[in-house]
Amino acid sequence: MSMMTSLTILFITVFVVSCSFGQFGISLSTLCHSLILKLTGHSEQMVHAIDTVLFKIRLPRLAVASIIGGAMALSGASYQGIFKNPMVSPDILGASAGAGFGAAIALLLSFNMFFVQISAFSLSLLAVSLTLLVSKIIARKSSSTIAMILTGMIVTSLFSALISIIKYVADPESKLPEITFWLMGGLASVGTSDALFLLLTVSVGALPLLLIRWRLNILSLGDDEAQSLGIDVLRLRFLVIGCSTLLTASCVSICGLVGWVGLIIPHISRLLVGPDFHKLLPVSILVGAIFLVLVDDTARCLFSVEIPLGIITSIIGAPFFLYMLVKGKKGWL
């Protein structure tokens, strides 16, 4: 059995079993019976509470968690490949900080969740565009990776400072807790519309990356080697950055700032299938989806109150990454 097949079976198993977890428990037998009734068009025979919890809350939430986990892992693996650096994460160019600032502004102005997501998405793209523009000016139209990363750090710092200003002027009784909780990351308020939005935007960003993943293998040989094989390095780099940024912006606009997924999942995937991007990217999607579904299960079930996703991913990600640093770089690239 291939690794992809095994991971696909594992993902389906984790997804289905996760549908029964939560403060409102649903047994597997009730879950299967409810799914059969829904698929056969007899949902009126279903208990109303189960219909509401399962199909209007839990399934959309798990679908969003799966999409976000897979998209952030794919984005992280692509970033690491394009920069040839295993320490790179999806927010290296300021996407997460820009999204956080956009959401903070919208929450401060009491916009509804739809406009919060639109604001976060727009500012995320703006932050990355600013990074690319400034790095191009600094590098004098060359494709300097170092200039791009350093500019990304500057833009991230700038937008982080702007977020701090928003938090400083926000009402400490209402707006400040709302902004702070959103920045911690979570899926408490997602629904079917969020899943459909993510499915659309993530598909637009993911399909090109999957179609050109073999070129990332060539790019890892070096720019000169890639150009000698007929690869337009500059165009490929901007295509990968654009698609990866779209993935990151889409995810952050829905779930807030959830770190480490795009950094550690590609490493786990490399341990499973090696550095070949033809296998690495699809495997990263499945591992990322499984990981974030399990993290969301933990967030919903560990305590009586829901834990922000960003806290759990940091608790898991930091020790794992420290272990990888101690173990060494073998298999990273």
Side-chain angles (χ1 to χ4, degrees):
M1 185 181 295
S2 68
M3 182 61 66
M4 282 294 297
T5 304
S6 301
L7 288 173
T8 301
I9 294 173
L10 178 60
F11 167 69
I12 294 173
T13 303
V14 169
F15 189 94
V16 173
V17 173
S18 297
C19 290
S20 64
F21 291 160
Q23 298 300 321
F24 183 88
I26 302 175
S27 66
L28 289 177
S29 59
T30 303
L31 172 65
C32 294
H33 180 65
S34 301
L35 290 173
I36 292 173
L37 290 176
K38 193 73 172 181
L39 292 174
T40 56
H42 295 88
S43 55
E44 69 278 356
Q45 301 178 19
M46 205 183 311
V47 178
H48 179 69
I50 294 178
D51 182 34
T52 301
V53 171
L54 183 59
F55 294 101
K56 295 182 180 179
I57 299 175
R58 200 161 291 172
L59 276 176
R61 176 171 180 150
L62 289 172
V64 169
S66 302
I67 296 172
I68 289 175
M72 295 185 74
L74 174 61
S75 177
S78 301
Y79 268 122
Q80 291 171 13
I82 205 70
F83 289 113
K84 298 186 284 292
N85 188 336
M87 305 297 288
V88 170
S89 63
D91 57 358
I92 189 66
L93 301 183
S96 296
F101 177 58
I105 291 177
L107 291 172
L108 182 67
L109 298 176
S110 301
F111 290 167
N112 60 33
M113 190 52 60
F114 173 76
F115 286 104
V116 170
Q117 293 168 359
I118 293 298
S119 178
F121 183 75
S122 303
L123 267 295
S124 180
L125 294 180
L126 176 63
V128 175
S129 300
L130 182 61
T131 298
L132 297 178
L133 177 62
V134 174
S135 66
K136 186 176 181 181
I137 296 173
I138 293 175
R140 297 181 181 179
K141 300 184 179 180
S142 69
S143 57
S144 173
T145 301
I146 295 178
M148 198 176 296
I149 293 176
L150 292 176
T151 306
M153 294 172 60
I154 295 170
V155 171
T156 297
S157 178
L158 172 62
F159 278 96
S160 297
L162 293 175
I163 291 174
S164 297
I165 292 175
I166 296 295
K167 293 169 69 175
Y168 184 77
V169 301
D171 184 351
E173 298 295 330
S174 58
K175 296 302 178 184
L176 181 58
E178 187 178 5
I179 293 172
T180 302
F181 187 78
W182 191 93
L183 292 174
M184 290 182 183
L187 299 173
S189 60
V190 300
T192 304
S193 60
D194 300 307
L196 294 175
F197 168 78
L198 274 177
L199 187 61
L200 175 62
T201 54
V202 167
S203 297
V204 172
L207 286 177
L209 293 176
L210 293 175
L211 291 175
I212 64 171
R213 63 187 186 273
W214 61 273
R215 297 190 181 187
L216 291 177
N217 287 327
I218 299 176
L219 195 63
S220 64
L221 300 174
D223 290 0
D224 293 336
E225 290 287 340
Q227 288 176 350
S228 67
L229 294 173
I231 301 296
D232 188 333
V233 175
L234 187 60
R235 180 178 297 179
L236 177 62
R237 181 171 285 117
F238 275 98
L239 175 61
V240 173
I241 290 173
C243 292
S244 299
T245 299
L246 178 61
L247 294 176
T248 303
S250 302
C251 295
V252 174
S253 68
I254 296 295
C255 70
L257 304 183
V258 178
W260 293 96
V261 179
L263 183 61
I264 65 173
I265 297 302
H267 292 312
I268 296 174
S269 302
R270 285 191 191 93
L271 294 176
L272 295 176
V273 296
D276 181 5
F277 284 94
H278 193 270
K279 298 178 180 178
L280 178 63
L281 295 192
V283 167
S284 295
I285 293 174
L286 286 172
V287 175
I290 294 169
F291 174 76
L292 204 62
V293 168
L294 292 175
V295 168
D296 186 57
D297 290 342
T298 305
R300 291 187 290 116
C301 304
L302 191 59
F303 297 110
S304 58
V305 294
E306 184 172 324
I307 307 172
L309 293 183
I311 295 177
I312 300 177
T313 56
S314 297
I315 292 174
I316 296 173
F320 175 82
F321 200 68
L322 179 61
Y323 165 76
M324 293 298 299
L325 290 175
V326 173
K327 184 178 180 181
K329 298 181 180 179
K330 185 178 180 181
W332 280 13
L333 283 175

